[in-house]
Amino acid sequence: MSIKIDLPGSNPLRPASPVKSSSTVSGTSSNQPVSATAAGDQLRLTGDAINRQQIDQALAAVPKVDAGRVERLKAAVSDGSYKPNPAAIAAKFARFEWDLAPA
């Protein structure tokens, strides 16, 4: 059983209207500059966010490489006194690989 429903003024097979670009809709060309609106938004940071910013700034000031340690290791390698521990190096590599493995 089928039921036909006709609404006044409806045409179920009417063609879709073409999509207009935003420049056509607004009546402006894309070659014209767009004026900025007045800033009305405000942002307030929480105490935690401010502390985080301060910590980030403090950490940025700390050198990423310990220059003193690098010089000591260079000296130890050059004079032959540096004795690497293969077991410790292997353990650190294994731990590194373990940490990289997908969960």
Side-chain angles (χ1 to χ4, degrees):
M1 172 185 200
S2 65
I3 301 173
K4 183 178 178 183
I5 302 174
D6 286 325
L7 298 175
S10 69
N11 183 357
L13 300 177
R14 70 177 177 260
S17 61
V19 177
K20 296 181 180 181
S21 69
S22 62
S23 64
T24 305
V25 172
S26 67
T28 61
S29 166
S30 62
N31 296 334
Q32 296 176 353
V34 177
S35 62
T37 59
D41 295 336
Q42 293 184 355
L43 174 70
R44 289 191 181 171
L45 297 177
T46 64
D48 290 340
I50 293 170
N51 288 340
R52 170 68 192 267
Q53 283 183 336
Q54 292 170 345
I55 291 169
D56 288 344
Q57 291 170 353
L59 288 175
V62 176
K64 295 186 185 327
V65 176
D66 184 354
R69 183 174 182 203
V70 170
E71 289 304 316
R72 288 191 303 273
L73 286 171
K74 280 183 180 180
V77 168
S78 66
D79 69 16
S81 64
Y82 178 68
K83 304 287 187 232
N85 181 346
I89 294 170
K92 287 184 180 183
F93 269 121
R95 180 62 190 192
F96 179 72
E97 289 292 325
W98 178 264
D99 289 342
L100 289 179

